[in-house]
């Protein structure tokens, strides 16, 4: 049984910072790309940032220069450092990863963590 567990969400004022973490656990043979998505009320889920197993990254235009994704392969963990947060960043953030398990490469999602940017 593989799980992705997120942490680090919360309420922050505009201009503030938060750091999200997501750790994979279970019977894992390897992890490929990891990513953060977000879904705001009434909107579709969108990709925020992604990172390959080799460390290559890409970002949504709306977060470039403000957010930074990184990973610690030894800890099976991906991070999202969010700076200069804006009210429009308010959303549920989800971790996603391609994980190699006994049956092959499978796509996994975390349960989501709420980020609210408000004064």
């Amino acid at each position: 049984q593989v799980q992705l567990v997120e942490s680090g969400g919360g309420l922050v004022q505009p201009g503030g910072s938060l750091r999200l973490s997501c750790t994979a656990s279970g019977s894992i043979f390897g992890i490929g790309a990891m990513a953060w998505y977000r879904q705001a009320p009434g909107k579709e889920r969108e990709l925020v940032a992604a990172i390959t197993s080799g460390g290559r990254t890409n970002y949504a235009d709306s977060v470039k220069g403000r957010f930074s994704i990184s990973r610690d392969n030894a800890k099976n963990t991906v991070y999202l450092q969010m700076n200069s947060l804006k009210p429009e960043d308010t959303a549920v953030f989800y971790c996603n990863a391609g994980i190699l398990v006994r049956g092959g490469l499978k796509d996994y999602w975390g349960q989501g963590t709420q980020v609210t940017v408000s004064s």
Side-chain angles (χ1 to χ4, degrees):
Q1 188 80 4
V2 173
Q3 284 188 313
L4 293 179
V5 178
E6 299 128 335
S7 61
L11 173 64
V12 63
Q13 292 187 341
S17 298
L18 282 175
R19 189 193 195 206
L20 305 182
S21 300
C22 171
T23 299
S25 63
S27 299
I28 298 171
F29 290 88
I31 302 178
M34 305 182 82
W36 289 96
Y37 287 74
R38 67 184 178 187
Q39 187 166 18
K43 295 187 177 181
E44 294 187 354
R45 191 173 297 189
E46 64 174 357
L47 176 66
V48 175
I51 184 167
T52 67
S53 57
R56 292 179 63 183
T57 60
N58 69 281
Y59 297 91
D61 288 343
S62 59
V63 306
K64 283 181 180 177
R66 300 188 297 123
F67 290 10
S68 178
I69 189 170
S70 61
R71 63 191 286 170
D72 185 333
N73 292 329
K75 296 181 178 180
N76 291 341
T77 298
V78 62
Y79 305 97
L80 185 68
Q81 178 66 43
M82 304 185 292
N83 299 326
S84 302
L85 283 161
K86 304 175 181 180
E88 51 263 44
D89 293 317
T90 296
V92 178
F93 281 70
Y94 297 91
C95 174
N96 171 263
I99 297 178
L100 184 62
V101 295
R102 186 174 300 277
L105 187 66
K106 295 186 178 180
D107 196 46
Y108 289 89
W109 292 88
Q111 80 285 356
T113 184
Q114 177 71 46
V115 171
T116 302
V117 185
S118 175
S119 56

